[in-house]
Amino acid sequence: TPWKGHQVLLEALAQMPGIELELAGGSFPNDADYVAALHRRAEQADLRGRVRFLGHVDPLSTMRGWDVAVSPSTSPEAGPISMLEAMSLGVPVVGTAHGGTSEILAGGAGLLVEPGDVEALVVALGRALTDTQFRHRSFEAGRRFIAEHHDLSRTLPIMLAALLAP
């Protein structure tokens, strides 16, 4: 869907020769024109052969092969599950500085860029792909965030207590 920011990501990728992109997930029926436009953009000379539309896939097995996960949403998301999944696997994350993404990445688990800022996304992706120290720090921070905030052995008892409280 357009607010997920795929167009921004494709424009950033166009400035990064040699980098390939996998877009995972499906689309809403009303977004057929948008998806067709993404496919047309991906076939232009500067991107041809570097973008794969995977459709629905098993997220964890797919993400294990990624060097970076990107959430370039142009509108705020409450809590992008794909980012949490990537962080649980130690995959560095680049996301946009709004909504739940800001909270999730605030502790150093990833890099934040302004929504719609292609140039900032290029810089962040370049760093996420090449800065070994950042990759190590984001791995540690991401795993720590998941353990502290999304480990079922900790969060489920808290949720049950809240639900069963008088």
Side-chain angles (χ1 to χ4, degrees), residues 60-85:
L60 298 180
S61 64
T62 302
M63 287 181 187
R64 281 187 176 93
W66 290 355
D67 295 314
V68 177
V70 186
S71 179
S73 298
T74 56
S75 296
E77 293 188 60
I81 300 298
S82 62
M83 297 182 83
L84 297 173
E85 292 168 332

PDB file of all heavy atoms in Angstrom, residues 60-85:
ATOM      1  N   LEU A  60      10.503 -15.249   8.920  1.00  0.00           N
ATOM      2  CA  LEU A  60      11.763 -15.519   9.613  1.00  0.00           C
ATOM      3  C   LEU A  60      12.781 -16.203   8.717  1.00  0.00           C
ATOM      4  O   LEU A  60      13.948 -15.808   8.686  1.00  0.00           O
ATOM      5  CB  LEU A  60      11.511 -16.317  10.889  1.00  0.00           C
ATOM      6  CG  LEU A  60      10.647 -15.590  11.932  1.00  0.00           C
ATOM      7  CD1 LEU A  60      10.461 -16.475  13.164  1.00  0.00           C
ATOM      8  CD2 LEU A  60      11.218 -14.251  12.309  1.00  0.00           C
ATOM      9  N   SER A  61      12.364 -17.196   7.946  1.00  0.00           N
ATOM     10  CA  SER A  61      13.340 -17.853   7.067  1.00  0.00           C
ATOM     11  C   SER A  61      13.801 -16.912   5.966  1.00  0.00           C
ATOM     12  O   SER A  61      14.963 -16.950   5.560  1.00  0.00           O
ATOM     13  CB  SER A  61      12.777 -19.152   6.488  1.00  0.00           C
ATOM     14  OG  SER A  61      11.668 -18.892   5.665  1.00  0.00           O
ATOM     15  N   THR A  62      12.924 -16.050   5.498  1.00  0.00           N
ATOM     16  CA  THR A  62      13.304 -15.091   4.456  1.00  0.00           C
ATOM     17  C   THR A  62      14.268 -14.050   5.003  1.00  0.00           C
ATOM     18  O   THR A  62      15.315 -13.767   4.404  1.00  0.00           O
ATOM     19  CB  THR A  62      12.051 -14.405   3.875  1.00  0.00           C
ATOM     20  OG1 THR A  62      11.184 -15.414   3.349  1.00  0.00           O
ATOM     21  CG2 THR A  62      12.417 -13.418   2.781  1.00  0.00           C
ATOM     22  N   MET A  63      13.945 -13.492   6.162  1.00  0.00           N
ATOM     23  CA  MET A  63      14.783 -12.428   6.743  1.00  0.00           C
ATOM     24  C   MET A  63      16.168 -12.913   7.135  1.00  0.00           C
ATOM     25  O   MET A  63      17.106 -12.107   7.180  1.00  0.00           O
ATOM     26  CB  MET A  63      14.097 -11.827   7.968  1.00  0.00           C
ATOM     27  CG  MET A  63      12.938 -10.952   7.630  1.00  0.00           C
ATOM     28  SD  MET A  63      12.238 -10.281   9.160  1.00  0.00           S
ATOM     29  CE  MET A  63      10.792  -9.485   8.499  1.00  0.00           C
ATOM     30  N   ARG A  64      16.299 -14.180   7.411  1.00  0.00           N
ATOM     31  CA  ARG A  64      17.628 -14.700   7.775  1.00  0.00           C
ATOM     32  C   ARG A  64      18.647 -14.463   6.664  1.00  0.00           C
ATOM     33  O   ARG A  64      19.845 -14.395   6.928  1.00  0.00           O
ATOM     34  CB  ARG A  64      17.543 -16.187   8.108  1.00  0.00           C
ATOM     35  CG  ARG A  64      17.023 -16.452   9.483  1.00  0.00           C
ATOM     36  CD  ARG A  64      17.118 -17.944   9.850  1.00  0.00           C
ATOM     37  NE  ARG A  64      16.681 -18.133  11.223  1.00  0.00           N
ATOM     38  CZ  ARG A  64      15.434 -18.433  11.577  1.00  0.00           C
ATOM     39  NH1 ARG A  64      14.504 -18.625  10.660  1.00  0.00           N
ATOM     40  NH2 ARG A  64      15.117 -18.573  12.851  1.00  0.00           N
ATOM     41  N   GLY A  65      18.194 -14.323   5.439  1.00  0.00           N
ATOM     42  CA  GLY A  65      19.095 -14.089   4.320  1.00  0.00           C
ATOM     43  C   GLY A  65      19.330 -12.611   4.020  1.00  0.00           C
ATOM     44  O   GLY A  65      20.070 -12.286   3.100  1.00  0.00           O
ATOM     45  N   TRP A  66      18.719 -11.726   4.772  1.00  0.00           N
ATOM     46  CA  TRP A  66      18.839 -10.293   4.503  1.00  0.00           C
ATOM     47  C   TRP A  66      20.021  -9.681   5.246  1.00  0.00           C
ATOM     48  O   TRP A  66      20.352 -10.064   6.362  1.00  0.00           O
ATOM     49  CB  TRP A  66      17.578  -9.561   4.922  1.00  0.00           C
ATOM     50  CG  TRP A  66      16.379  -9.852   4.072  1.00  0.00           C
ATOM     51  CD1 TRP A  66      16.321 -10.611   2.939  1.00  0.00           C
ATOM     52  CD2 TRP A  66      15.041  -9.395   4.302  1.00  0.00           C
ATOM     53  NE1 TRP A  66      15.039 -10.641   2.446  1.00  0.00           N
ATOM     54  CE2 TRP A  66      14.239  -9.907   3.258  1.00  0.00           C
ATOM     55  CE3 TRP A  66      14.453  -8.614   5.282  1.00  0.00           C
ATOM     56  CZ2 TRP A  66      12.874  -9.637   3.171  1.00  0.00           C
ATOM     57  CZ3 TRP A  66      13.099  -8.352   5.198  1.00  0.00           C
ATOM     58  CH2 TRP A  66      12.320  -8.856   4.154  1.00  0.00           C
ATOM     59  N   ASP A  67      20.632  -8.688   4.629  1.00  0.00           N
ATOM     60  CA  ASP A  67      21.690  -7.911   5.279  1.00  0.00           C
ATOM     61  C   ASP A  67      21.103  -6.759   6.084  1.00  0.00           C
ATOM     62  O   ASP A  67      21.681  -6.332   7.073  1.00  0.00           O
ATOM     63  CB  ASP A  67      22.663  -7.351   4.228  1.00  0.00           C
ATOM     64  CG  ASP A  67      23.408  -8.452   3.514  1.00  0.00           C
ATOM     65  OD1 ASP A  67      23.901  -9.362   4.204  1.00  0.00           O
ATOM     66  OD2 ASP A  67      23.487  -8.410   2.285  1.00  0.00           O
ATOM     67  N   VAL A  68      19.961  -6.242   5.642  1.00  0.00           N
ATOM     68  CA  VAL A  68      19.282  -5.115   6.294  1.00  0.00           C
ATOM     69  C   VAL A  68      17.788  -5.274   6.054  1.00  0.00           C
ATOM     70  O   VAL A  68      17.376  -5.709   4.973  1.00  0.00           O
ATOM     71  CB  VAL A  68      19.739  -3.757   5.701  1.00  0.00           C
ATOM     72  CG1 VAL A  68      18.986  -2.594   6.332  1.00  0.00           C
ATOM     73  CG2 VAL A  68      21.223  -3.559   5.853  1.00  0.00           C
ATOM     74  N   ALA A  69      16.989  -4.894   7.034  1.00  0.00           N
ATOM     75  CA  ALA A  69      15.536  -4.803   6.866  1.00  0.00           C
ATOM     76  C   ALA A  69      15.174  -3.317   6.841  1.00  0.00           C
ATOM     77  O   ALA A  69      15.751  -2.531   7.588  1.00  0.00           O
ATOM     78  CB  ALA A  69      14.811  -5.506   7.998  1.00  0.00           C
ATOM     79  N   VAL A  70      14.245  -2.954   5.983  1.00  0.00           N
ATOM     80  CA  VAL A  70      13.890  -1.539   5.817  1.00  0.00           C
ATOM     81  C   VAL A  70      12.381  -1.366   5.957  1.00  0.00           C
ATOM     82  O   VAL A  70      11.605  -2.111   5.366  1.00  0.00           O
ATOM     83  CB  VAL A  70      14.325  -1.015   4.428  1.00  0.00           C
ATOM     84  CG1 VAL A  70      14.092   0.486   4.327  1.00  0.00           C
ATOM     85  CG2 VAL A  70      15.771  -1.360   4.142  1.00  0.00           C
ATOM     86  N   SER A  71      12.000  -0.363   6.737  1.00  0.00           N
ATOM     87  CA  SER A  71      10.596   0.018   6.869  1.00  0.00           C
ATOM     88  C   SER A  71      10.505   1.505   6.531  1.00  0.00           C
ATOM     89  O   SER A  71      10.611   2.357   7.409  1.00  0.00           O
ATOM     90  CB  SER A  71      10.093  -0.249   8.293  1.00  0.00           C
ATOM     91  OG  SER A  71       8.749   0.142   8.409  1.00  0.00           O
ATOM     92  N   PRO A  72      10.314   1.837   5.243  1.00  0.00           N
ATOM     93  CA  PRO A  72      10.346   3.238   4.809  1.00  0.00           C
ATOM     94  C   PRO A  72       8.978   3.927   4.825  1.00  0.00           C
ATOM     95  O   PRO A  72       8.714   4.817   4.031  1.00  0.00           O
ATOM     96  CB  PRO A  72      10.876   3.118   3.379  1.00  0.00           C
ATOM     97  CG  PRO A  72      10.277   1.831   2.896  1.00  0.00           C
ATOM     98  CD  PRO A  72      10.269   0.917   4.108  1.00  0.00           C
ATOM     99  N   SER A  73       8.094   3.530   5.724  1.00  0.00           N
ATOM    100  CA  SER A  73       6.722   4.046   5.752  1.00  0.00           C
ATOM    101  C   SER A  73       6.687   5.575   5.731  1.00  0.00           C
ATOM    102  O   SER A  73       7.459   6.237   6.414  1.00  0.00           O
ATOM    103  CB  SER A  73       5.999   3.556   7.002  1.00  0.00           C
ATOM    104  OG  SER A  73       5.918   2.160   7.008  1.00  0.00           O
ATOM    105  N   THR A  74       5.759   6.090   4.948  1.00  0.00           N
ATOM    106  CA  THR A  74       5.593   7.536   4.874  1.00  0.00           C
ATOM    107  C   THR A  74       4.539   8.025   5.862  1.00  0.00           C
ATOM    108  O   THR A  74       4.438   9.221   6.111  1.00  0.00           O
ATOM    109  CB  THR A  74       5.209   7.972   3.445  1.00  0.00           C
ATOM    110  OG1 THR A  74       4.030   7.259   3.045  1.00  0.00           O
ATOM    111  CG2 THR A  74       6.345   7.673   2.473  1.00  0.00           C
ATOM    112  N   SER A  75       3.771   7.120   6.432  1.00  0.00           N
ATOM    113  CA  SER A  75       2.813   7.423   7.491  1.00  0.00           C
ATOM    114  C   SER A  75       3.157   6.561   8.695  1.00  0.00           C
ATOM    115  O   SER A  75       3.652   5.439   8.539  1.00  0.00           O
ATOM    116  CB  SER A  75       1.383   7.121   7.035  1.00  0.00           C
ATOM    117  OG  SER A  75       1.013   7.963   5.966  1.00  0.00           O
ATOM    118  N   PRO A  76       2.899   7.060   9.900  1.00  0.00           N
ATOM    119  CA  PRO A  76       3.275   6.308  11.103  1.00  0.00           C
ATOM    120  C   PRO A  76       2.590   4.950  11.207  1.00  0.00           C
ATOM    121  O   PRO A  76       1.436   4.791  10.836  1.00  0.00           O
ATOM    122  CB  PRO A  76       2.810   7.218  12.248  1.00  0.00           C
ATOM    123  CG  PRO A  76       2.698   8.575  11.659  1.00  0.00           C
ATOM    124  CD  PRO A  76       2.314   8.369  10.216  1.00  0.00           C
ATOM    125  N   GLU A  77       3.343   3.988  11.719  1.00  0.00           N
ATOM    126  CA  GLU A  77       2.813   2.661  12.028  1.00  0.00           C
ATOM    127  C   GLU A  77       2.878   2.489  13.543  1.00  0.00           C
ATOM    128  O   GLU A  77       3.825   2.935  14.183  1.00  0.00           O
ATOM    129  CB  GLU A  77       3.663   1.568  11.368  1.00  0.00           C
ATOM    130  CG  GLU A  77       3.587   1.568   9.869  1.00  0.00           C
ATOM    131  CD  GLU A  77       4.281   0.344   9.286  1.00  0.00           C
ATOM    132  OE1 GLU A  77       3.861  -0.787   9.607  1.00  0.00           O
ATOM    133  OE2 GLU A  77       5.230   0.531   8.525  1.00  0.00           O
ATOM    134  N   ALA A  78       1.900   1.814  14.105  1.00  0.00           N
ATOM    135  CA  ALA A  78       1.879   1.609  15.552  1.00  0.00           C
ATOM    136  C   ALA A  78       3.065   0.764  16.001  1.00  0.00           C
ATOM    137  O   ALA A  78       3.772   1.117  16.937  1.00  0.00           O
ATOM    138  CB  ALA A  78       0.571   0.964  15.973  1.00  0.00           C
ATOM    139  N   GLY A  79       3.279  -0.341  15.351  1.00  0.00           N
ATOM    140  CA  GLY A  79       4.377  -1.228  15.719  1.00  0.00           C
ATOM    141  C   GLY A  79       4.653  -2.213  14.611  1.00  0.00           C
ATOM    142  O   GLY A  79       4.057  -3.284  14.566  1.00  0.00           O
ATOM    143  N   PRO A  80       5.526  -1.865  13.697  1.00  0.00           N
ATOM    144  CA  PRO A  80       5.794  -2.748  12.556  1.00  0.00           C
ATOM    145  C   PRO A  80       6.371  -4.091  12.998  1.00  0.00           C
ATOM    146  O   PRO A  80       7.502  -4.171  13.456  1.00  0.00           O
ATOM    147  CB  PRO A  80       6.782  -1.963  11.703  1.00  0.00           C
ATOM    148  CG  PRO A  80       7.093  -0.719  12.425  1.00  0.00           C
ATOM    149  CD  PRO A  80       6.313  -0.663  13.687  1.00  0.00           C
ATOM    150  N   ILE A  81       5.565  -5.122  12.862  1.00  0.00           N
ATOM    151  CA  ILE A  81       5.964  -6.472  13.274  1.00  0.00           C
ATOM    152  C   ILE A  81       7.213  -6.926  12.532  1.00  0.00           C
ATOM    153  O   ILE A  81       8.087  -7.578  13.106  1.00  0.00           O
ATOM    154  CB  ILE A  81       4.809  -7.473  13.038  1.00  0.00           C
ATOM    155  CG1 ILE A  81       3.573  -7.074  13.841  1.00  0.00           C
ATOM    156  CG2 ILE A  81       5.237  -8.902  13.343  1.00  0.00           C
ATOM    157  CD1 ILE A  81       3.770  -7.058  15.333  1.00  0.00           C
ATOM    158  N   SER A  82       7.322  -6.564  11.250  1.00  0.00           N
ATOM    159  CA  SER A  82       8.487  -7.010  10.478  1.00  0.00           C
ATOM    160  C   SER A  82       9.788  -6.500  11.086  1.00  0.00           C
ATOM    161  O   SER A  82      10.810  -7.187  11.036  1.00  0.00           O
ATOM    162  CB  SER A  82       8.373  -6.566   9.022  1.00  0.00           C
ATOM    163  OG  SER A  82       8.349  -5.159   8.930  1.00  0.00           O
ATOM    164  N   MET A  83       9.762  -5.319  11.673  1.00  0.00           N
ATOM    165  CA  MET A  83      10.976  -4.796  12.303  1.00  0.00           C
ATOM    166  C   MET A  83      11.338  -5.623  13.530  1.00  0.00           C
ATOM    167  O   MET A  83      12.506  -5.925  13.762  1.00  0.00           O
ATOM    168  CB  MET A  83      10.775  -3.334  12.680  1.00  0.00           C
ATOM    169  CG  MET A  83      10.538  -2.447  11.476  1.00  0.00           C
ATOM    170  SD  MET A  83      10.377  -0.744  11.961  1.00  0.00           S
ATOM    171  CE  MET A  83      12.093  -0.350  12.042  1.00  0.00           C
ATOM    172  N   LEU A  84      10.331  -5.975  14.316  1.00  0.00           N
ATOM    173  CA  LEU A  84      10.579  -6.800  15.501  1.00  0.00           C
ATOM    174  C   LEU A  84      11.111  -8.171  15.096  1.00  0.00           C
ATOM    175  O   LEU A  84      12.031  -8.706  15.733  1.00  0.00           O
ATOM    176  CB  LEU A  84       9.304  -6.943  16.325  1.00  0.00           C
ATOM    177  CG  LEU A  84       8.741  -5.645  16.896  1.00  0.00           C
ATOM    178  CD1 LEU A  84       7.383  -5.900  17.535  1.00  0.00           C
ATOM    179  CD2 LEU A  84       9.709  -5.011  17.877  1.00  0.00           C
ATOM    180  N   GLU A  85      10.555  -8.727  14.031  1.00  0.00           N
ATOM    181  CA  GLU A  85      11.033 -10.024  13.546  1.00  0.00           C
ATOM    182  C   GLU A  85      12.488  -9.930  13.107  1.00  0.00           C
ATOM    183  O   GLU A  85      13.308 -10.791  13.445  1.00  0.00           O
ATOM    184  CB  GLU A  85      10.153 -10.508  12.391  1.00  0.00           C
ATOM    185  CG  GLU A  85       8.755 -10.866  12.828  1.00  0.00           C
ATOM    186  CD  GLU A  85       7.780 -11.077  11.682  1.00  0.00           C
ATOM    187  OE1 GLU A  85       7.967 -10.476  10.598  1.00  0.00           O
ATOM    188  OE2 GLU A  85       6.820 -11.846  11.880  1.00  0.00           O
TER     189      GLU A  85
END
